[in-house]
Amino acid sequence: MTRVPIRYGARPCSLVVCRGCCCGDARKNPGMDHAGQLARLREAAAASGGRLLVRTSDCLGPCAQANVLVVQPSTEGRRRGGRAAWIGWSADQDCLDEILAWTAAGGPGVAPAPAALQLQMIDPPKN
């Protein structure tokens, strides 16, 4: 994996992909290529020239809406008022297409979320 250095204060848009007890688990979502989904996201990040990062989390919390991922704004997106967008039910290719198109356009705060993706947005868990 090629690591792209990030300038201080210039954080790219990032995806946090849940891979806990339910997300990414074939028992919860049989027939889904969970490893392929993560590989596709990582390939997009590698091809982005440092404009997209992908990380995994052991558990993000809202297991009933698995697979869950969070789209975090870039520094510029945050400056423009963008906030993290929690996406549920993200296991299918159409959802990944929408997420990757949105992040390529700049993500939260820079570009509006696609309408179809807005229907999959969920509230973050309460602490």
Side-chain angles (χ1 to χ4, degrees):
M1 174 190 309
T2 303
R3 299 219 181 250
V4 177
I6 301 170
R7 293 185 341 258
Y8 176 76
R11 182 173 189 228
C13 187
S14 64
L15 300 176
V16 181
V17 182
C18 187
R19 285 296 179 255
C21 65
C22 297
C23 297
D25 187 335
R27 291 171 295 178
K28 176 88 173 194
N29 290 307
M32 300 308 256
D33 183 4
H34 299 287
Q37 177 195 42
L38 188 55
R40 181 175 176 205
L41 295 173
R42 286 183 169 155
E43 287 168 10
S48 76
R51 292 183 314 275
L52 177 64
L53 293 177
V54 174
R55 299 181 295 134
T56 58
S57 171
D58 286 336
C59 186
L60 291 171
C63 299
Q65 290 112 353
N67 286 355
V68 175
L69 62 80
V70 180
V71 183
Q72 296 179 321
S74 64
T75 300
E76 180 61 24
R78 184 86 52 193
R79 277 190 204 119
R80 295 182 185 189
R83 296 293 173 253
W86 287 65
I87 312 295
W89 309 284
S90 67
D92 66 65
Q93 294 303 314
D94 291 339
C95 182
L96 290 186
D97 291 344
E98 297 283 343
I99 290 167
L100 292 175
W102 186 28
T103 59
V110 176
L117 198 56
Q118 290 180 27
L119 297 172
Q120 290 179 252
M121 291 185 179
I122 60 174
D123 291 328
K126 306 272 189 247
N127 289 333

